[in-house]
Amino acid sequence: MRKAGFYFVFFLLAAIQLLICNYLNLSAWVMLSILPVMILCVPLRLPTFWTLILAFVTASAVDLLSEGLLGLNALALVPVAFVRKEIIRLIFGDELFARKEDFSVRKNGFGKVALAVFLVQALFLAIYIWADGAGTRPFSFNAIRFGVSLFAGWAVSLLIIDVLAPP
């Protein structure tokens, strides 16, 4: 996908995330977010600094325009942007960096892509749920919320991964 095309799709998915936050509140047990997979799929040629800025701006916009608690998504998404290249290197190897290409399901396999999506979702949700609870909710509630949200976010992210990381 060309650079301009990726950012157009990224913007549309950010708008979909706003709709999810505003109109698809499943329950207090489920926090559904596609932001981690959006950051995971940012082209590798973009330096980490700019990926951090993109994550911060995108998450802050979602916080400002939907959920009301300013900074919560940004707090959880910036670490995902920070470790993104290391997760990609861990899962897919150094070949992507050597060839200067992005990953895709077709080239790298569904299992590896699913694992990478799982890891970024888990990191995002661990920080988000920890900060959202802020010591006011019991560990059992947070653990169940983490598991349910991880499964739901992972499943939805796998549905849209082909849009962001085409063959």
Side-chain angles (χ1 to χ4, degrees):
M1 179 182 302
R2 292 186 311 168
K3 190 175 180 180
F6 172 82
Y7 291 108
F8 178 73
V9 171
F10 189 91
F11 177 75
L12 287 177
L13 288 173
I16 290 171
Q17 178 64 50
L18 285 170
L19 293 173
I20 289 170
C21 290
N22 285 325
Y23 301 110
L24 191 63
N25 290 327
L26 301 174
S27 75
W29 299 92
V30 179
M31 190 280 164
L32 189 60
S33 181
I34 59 172
L35 293 173
V37 76
M38 291 168 55
I39 292 300
L40 177 68
C41 293
V42 168
L44 289 175
R45 64 188 164 276
L46 188 69
T48 300
F49 174 78
W50 291 110
T51 306
L52 289 167
I53 298 296
L54 180 65
F56 180 78
V57 169
T58 304
S60 295
V62 170
D63 286 334
L64 184 65
L65 297 173
S66 67
E67 295 181 343
L69 190 53
L70 193 58
L72 191 55
N73 277 305
L75 175 70
L77 193 61
V78 169
V80 170
F82 185 72
V83 300
R84 172 183 71 97
K85 284 188 177 179
E86 295 309 314
I87 289 174
I88 291 171
R89 185 173 277 118
L90 176 73
I91 304 295
F92 303 111
D94 289 324
E95 298 83 31
L96 292 178
F97 295 96
R99 288 183 268 160
K100 297 180 181 178
E101 64 182 27
D102 299 317
F103 68 89
S104 70
V105 176
R106 180 191 284 171
K107 292 178 185 175
N108 301 105
F110 179 77
K112 286 183 177 182
V113 172
L115 179 60
V117 171
F118 182 85
L119 290 175
V120 295
Q121 279 285 345
L123 175 61
F124 176 84
L125 288 170
I127 296 169
Y128 186 97
I129 291 170
W130 171 77
D132 189 36
T136 60
R137 293 191 172 150
F139 176 77
S140 58
F141 175 84
N142 287 338
I144 293 170
R145 184 177 185 204
F146 175 80
V148 172
S149 298
L150 180 58
F151 177 75
W154 180 70
V156 171
S157 294
L158 289 178
L159 293 175
I160 65 165
I161 194 78
D162 279 333
V163 174
L164 287 167

